[in-house]
Amino acid sequence: MKVKVKKLVENAVIPHYAKNGDAGLDLTATSVEQKGDKIIYHCGLAFEIPQGYFGLVVPRSSNAKKDLLLTNSAGIIDSGYRGEVTAVFHKTRLLHPDLYQVGERFAQLVILPYPQIELEEAEELSKTERGAKGYGSTGK
């Protein structure tokens, strides 16, 4: 599948798979904004994701070495969005936070298909062994 990508700034890096079999395309920081305890990473790229697919922006595994949490856990890039892809992180430590710098890979983009569903309102739902038991329903 081909996905069009547009550079919005000169130093934008077109992402690629680092290794054969990787699911995520690494996004490289072109600029970094700090607003209080929020860090906004810009990749300087916009994507034309085909209809029936969406982009999922998630932290890289290297984020475990950083003092950052992605504020919305995962970002959804809808197929109709044509603006810049960014990621907003929250600093977990205010003293000496370890941050990504311009030129470093800060997140990854995974492009996935999704079904177009139709919801049907119902008076009753089918019964299951679990039923309405929520968090910790297995006792662990």
Side-chain angles (χ1 to χ4, degrees), residues 5-87:
V5 58
K6 179 181 178 182
K7 283 187 172 187
L8 303 174
V9 295
E10 189 176 324
N11 65 332
V13 176
I14 303 291
H16 64 278
Y17 294 107
K19 295 183 181 152
N20 190 25
D22 285 356
L25 297 156
D26 290 333
L27 299 175
T28 301
T30 57
S31 65
V32 182
E33 285 181 73
Q34 293 195 36
K35 292 186 177 181
D37 62 351
K38 302 280 191 283
I39 309 293
I40 305 164
Y41 289 96
H42 297 262
C43 69
L45 299 170
F47 296 86
E48 187 175 315
I49 298 171
Q51 189 170 2
Y53 292 82
F54 71 100
L56 184 66
V57 178
V58 295
R60 298 180 65 244
S61 61
S62 68
N63 196 62
K65 300 175 187 174
K66 302 290 183 186
D67 295 316
L68 298 168
L69 293 173
L70 194 59
T71 56
N72 59 346
S73 300
I76 300 290
I77 309 300
D78 293 311
S79 62
Y81 179 66
R82 295 294 184 267
E84 182 185 19
V85 171
T86 62

Side-chain angles (χ1 to χ4, degrees), residues 47-131:
F47 296 86
E48 187 175 315
I49 298 171
Q51 189 170 2
Y53 292 82
F54 71 100
L56 184 66
V57 178
V58 295
R60 298 180 65 244
S61 61
S62 68
N63 196 62
K65 300 175 187 174
K66 302 290 183 186
D67 295 316
L68 298 168
L69 293 173
L70 194 59
T71 56
N72 59 346
S73 300
I76 300 290
I77 309 300
D78 293 311
S79 62
Y81 179 66
R82 295 294 184 267
E84 182 185 19
V85 171
T86 62
V88 181
F89 286 84
H90 175 79
K91 288 191 261 183
T92 57
R93 284 193 252 164
L94 297 179
L95 299 173
H96 312 294
D98 188 14
L99 306 176
Y100 294 107
Q101 303 300 317
V102 170
E104 290 186 310
R105 296 167 295 158
F106 63 91
Q108 54 187 330
L109 174 67
V110 180
I111 296 178
L112 298 165
Y114 64 89
Q116 193 68 54
I117 63 168
E118 186 178 325
L119 297 177
E120 178 182 338
E121 187 175 358
E123 297 274 333
E124 293 290 327
L125 302 177
S126 63
K127 299 207 182 302
T128 65
E129 182 181 341
R130 181 174 180 177

